Amino acid sequence: MKPSDLKRLKRKPFRTAAVLGAGVMGSQIAAHLANAGLSVYLLDIPAKEGSKNAIVDGAFKKMLKMKPSPVVDSSIQHRIKTGNFDDHLDVVAKADWVIEVIIEQLQAKKDLMEKLVPLVAEHAIISSNTSGLPISKITEGLPEDFRKRFLGTHFFNPPRYLKLLEVIPTPQTDASIVDRIKWFGRMHLGKGMVIAKDTPNFIANRVGTYSMMLSIKALDDGFTIEEIDALTGTLTGRPRSATFRTADVVGLDTLTYVSKNLYAAIPNDESRDVFKIPAVLQKLVDDKRLGSKSGKGFYFKDGKEIKSLNPETMEYDSRKPLNLGDIESLKKVKSLSERWKKLFEAESRAGAFIREHTTKLITYALNRVPEISDYPADVDNAVAWGFGWEMGFFKIHDWIGHKPFIKSAEKMKLNLPEWYHKMVKQGNTSFYKGGDDSAETCFVPGTGYKETEFFADELTVTSLKTKDGRNEIWNNEESGLLDSGDGVLIFEFRSKANTLGTKVLAGLRKSLEIVEDGNYKGIVVANDGPNFSVGANLGELAYAAQNGDFKTIEKAVENFQKTVQLVRYSSKPVVMAIRGKVLGGGCEFIMGAANVVASTETYMGLVELGVGLIPAGTGAMSMIARAGERAPDKHPSRIQPFMQKAFETIAMAKVSKSAHEAIELGYMDPDMRISMHDGRRIYIAREEVIRLYNQGYAPPAVREHIFVPGKPGLAPLETAAWMMQKSGWITEYDAFLAKKLAYVMCGGSFNGPDYVHEDYLIELEREVFLSLLGEEKTQARIHSILTTNKPLRN
């Protein structure tokens, strides 16, 4: 291939891929590529008996049953075609990207690559998903043109949900190939892209395995499993699974295999001994107690009780009180950076663990630069994106301060690299500088401070705020309105859990007034929280209900409905940028938008029946109207199946497992925008506002003729509720609530089919909602959610 051809392909999306190897990783990579819209060939070795496709077909079916699901909706599986290496390897000629994911044996990979040389298209990129083998050795001796198009692409498990994709070029890999993979991975797969050097286990697994083994070895210092997990979990900005739950999920045999291989591959690593397998881990593996896959590991679920391993007896004990000092007060420190600083300084067992563990982690990361990467920021990103940490080692260094870190390292007699001593001596005492109004920079050994990789299309509400607040037009205690430029305003709500209470709704109404009256193109509704909104503020409703103040509740519900209607009929486009949980009132909220930009990982549902209510923020009305709009014609018999589906969706409080499934469930329109990259949703929403404005936006027509089936439509819906109850899917009270919902969806007391104005249905849903608030079991459900954050199935 000519260099000019490579340049031309630099920013061209892949349309077809071939994944060679259908194991746990291969099948999931194939699924994620299909999620991104690619046609995928998934191949594996032929079966020795029966159908040659038995192995690949079995793996494919197993993948489809995984939870959480690797596919974003039910149609994705049809984009994947299976085959075997004997009969179908020639299909790689049709692929733009060929990914090898076979057994972790160097010779097997080399043999497969040799077979691919005459088969792959001259424009195709070929990569290996090996997690530890030397990338450059896989294509040794193969033609130069093939090696130019070959590199490592290391996905993390599960590929749909973990953001990291490590790219490992060889000395022969053409730079334009690396650029294309980086671009496609970010834009179309939603990945955080990191360039890693071709060293054992690359970046994330090298330092991540070190961290895990270091934590396990702390058992020898008298810390319990629960104590270590308490200190390496959410308290310090890491996942709830912390150390030992994560190890159980990964598989203790897998962890042992990775650690042993690493130990053998890094003879010159100053901390090599950390990778030696601790006796307790080896004993568990020998006993076939391998974690989640075998039912026992460091934890064991004994009935409803979760017990942890006692390393001395190798038996499982009930949970004991933590002996870590006052960590409860530390949990209340909202700032993660401040929490880290206080933990590092704490004179307690918790402080002792954090000082030793963290000092060793940072020291290890320092000594891996420039071995595994030239850029400390890439090491931090790899850890954050690969393991779900909120920060990396170099960021932690800056939070605790260089002086406390150096003092701790000297006390422990740890060797810090010469470049770090030089950096500090020159007055550069932190790795990161800037941010907010200026570009963020990170220190790079031998270079100095260099701007971290910046993408203008990755926006947060925080990044749009200026330090002096000059672009904030208006605010109240729970919301604010920002001018983001280009005539687009951003409405941010920042209530607890992003609930939609009185102040948030008042803020949105004020913001709509400002955008309507001003010289603006439209407004984006967004926030930086992990969840767009978990719904209406139940606390406000519960307080009023307990005091018998139903007038206040009625006014609050009416205000919610009016606010959604103001959004729907705004003369300027209102676009919602959403991600994470969008539940109850949050789901109803977005139904009024001119359009929605959703992250793929959006989990949406009208879950009001779970708290003993029905949707009454115009949600019931919207679902009834959409049932009629989706039907092929207006005949009652053609609308009824769509009405039935909407009813069952709400009655069972179904929550979508992706933005794509939210469309299937009827919560969102098919023309909504979905972003695979979560960080791009606000940028795309801004662009959508501008597009709608420029094309001459006008609000939708008022729904004056919504079909309702009347009493004849009640029977099939009530029968459906009865069948759901008999099948054990819903309780008796759920069935009672479902009948109330059916009454609203059929239009109330109409004797036959009719057409009604949307205002009629909005009033009807409000009336039933208010009546249910007086029910004792509904009040018990609301109380359970508010006090335990768990639904009550009474």
Side-chain angles (χ1 to χ4, degrees), residues 112-249:
L112 180 58
M113 289 298 157
E114 191 171 352
K115 293 178 182 178
L116 293 180
V117 171
L119 298 176
V120 294
E122 66 170 15
H123 69 273
I125 291 176
I126 308 95
S127 69
S128 172
N129 186 65
T130 179
S131 58
L133 294 175
I135 296 294
S136 58
K137 289 188 177 181
I138 294 174
T139 55
E140 272 183 344
L142 297 183
E144 182 182 354
D145 179 66
F146 187 90
R147 298 180 76 186
K148 280 183 178 180
R149 294 179 284 132
F150 175 79
L151 72 169
T153 50
H154 183 214
F155 289 82
F156 273 63
N157 189 20
R160 172 183 163 186
Y161 299 97
L162 285 183
K163 186 176 179 179
L164 180 62
L165 176 51
E166 290 177 321
V167 177
I168 311 98
T170 72
Q172 292 77 34
T173 308
D174 191 284
S176 64
I177 297 292
V178 177
D179 287 342
R180 187 180 179 197
I181 288 288
K182 282 186 66 179
W183 171 78
F184 184 83
R186 190 181 79 87
M187 289 288 289
H188 294 273
L189 299 181
K191 295 298 180 183
M193 309 297 292
V194 167
I195 301 294
K197 291 188 177 181
D198 192 4
T199 57
N201 286 58
F202 314 128
I203 298 177
N205 278 345
R206 178 75 172 273
V207 294
T209 305
Y210 175 86
S211 174
M212 182 164 284
M213 296 303 288
L214 197 64
S215 296
I216 293 173
K217 288 175 185 289
L219 291 171
D220 296 334
D221 298 326
F223 289 94
T224 67
I225 284 174
E226 286 94 344
E227 286 173 341
I228 296 169
D229 271 358
L231 295 171
T232 58
T234 55
L235 179 70
T236 48
R238 299 170 192 176
R240 291 178 60 189
S241 55
T243 295
F244 294 99
R245 291 185 195 280
T246 299
D248 279 351
V249 170

Side-chain angles (χ1 to χ4, degrees), residues 209-221 228 243-244 247 252 255-260 263 272-286 298 309 311 314:
T209 305
Y210 175 86
S211 174
M212 182 164 284
M213 296 303 288
L214 197 64
S215 296
I216 293 173
K217 288 175 185 289
L219 291 171
D220 296 334
D221 298 326
I228 296 169
T243 295
F244 294 99
L252 304 189
L255 177 60
T256 301
Y257 173 82
V258 169
S259 296
K260 284 182 176 179
Y263 181 82
R272 185 189 187 205
D273 285 350
V274 172
F275 295 97
K276 286 183 176 178
I277 308 303
V280 62
L281 178 56
Q282 189 61 58
K283 176 63 175 169
L284 286 170
V285 173
D286 292 344
F298 285 110
L309 184 76
M314 295 302 290

Side-chain angles (χ1 to χ4, degrees), residues 292-519:
S292 300
K293 67 178 81 174
S294 65
K296 289 184 178 181
F298 285 110
Y299 286 100
F300 165 54
K301 190 171 184 181
D302 187 3
K304 292 185 178 181
E305 183 185 6
I306 297 176
K307 296 180 177 180
S308 63
L309 184 76
N310 181 328
E312 294 182 1
T313 65
M314 295 302 290
E315 300 295 331
Y316 293 95
D317 296 338
S318 296
R319 183 180 177 87
K320 294 181 177 65
L322 304 180
N323 179 24
L324 295 173
D326 186 17
I327 65 168
E328 290 303 318
S329 62
L330 289 169
K331 289 179 181 178
K332 297 175 183 177
V333 178
K334 290 186 177 181
S335 167
L336 183 57
S337 59
E338 189 62 28
R339 203 183 311 150
W340 262 104
K341 193 170 183 178
K342 287 181 179 294
L343 271 167
F344 199 83
E345 296 169 350
E347 294 298 327
S348 61
R349 289 181 77 242
F353 175 89
I354 289 293
R355 273 189 299 279
E356 178 168 348
H357 187 265
T358 305
T359 302
K360 287 181 177 179
L361 281 182
I362 296 173
T363 300
Y364 191 73
L366 288 169
N367 281 306
R368 300 287 70 77
V369 176
E371 179 194 346
I372 61 177
S373 174
D374 292 327
Y375 305 105
D378 276 358
V379 177
D380 275 0
N381 285 336
V383 169
W385 295 337
F387 303 121
W389 293 18
E390 293 183 41
M391 70 290 120
F393 308 118
F394 298 99
K395 184 72 77 175
I396 295 172
H397 167 278
D398 291 358
W399 287 347
I400 62 179
H402 74 288
K403 288 183 179 179
F405 165 70
I406 292 173
K407 181 180 178 182
S408 180
E410 288 176 346
K411 185 178 180 180
M412 295 168 64
K413 297 181 180 179
L414 299 176
N415 293 320
L416 305 177
E418 186 58 36
W419 66 261
Y420 176 75
H421 288 297
K422 187 177 179 180
M423 165 187 154
V424 174
K425 193 173 183 180
Q426 291 173 344
N428 301 317
T429 57
S430 64
F431 283 94
Y432 293 92
K433 288 185 178 181
D436 297 323
D437 286 355
S438 60
E440 183 184 63
T441 61
C442 184
F443 187 84
V444 178
T447 302
Y449 286 95
K450 182 178 179 181
E451 280 192 23
T452 54
E453 198 165 27
F454 170 77
F455 298 100
D457 61 351
E458 292 184 29
L459 294 178
T460 62
V461 176
T462 302
S463 71
L464 291 168
K465 297 176 184 176
T466 55
K467 277 184 178 179
D468 58 9
R470 63 183 181 273
N471 66 335
E472 187 165 65
I473 297 172
W474 181 91
N475 68 71
N476 66 14
E477 296 93 323
E478 294 188 350
S479 64
L481 185 64
L482 300 172
D483 186 345
S484 70
D486 299 320
V488 180
L489 301 184
I490 307 283
F491 175 74
E492 174 199 23
F493 55 101
R494 39 190 180 243
S495 52
K496 185 177 180 181
N498 290 329
T499 53
L500 301 170
T502 304
K503 291 175 182 176
V504 171
L505 296 175
L508 181 54
R509 289 194 295 273
K510 178 65 177 178
S511 298
L512 290 171
E513 181 184 315
I514 290 170
V515 78
E516 292 263 6
D517 295 342
N519 187 27

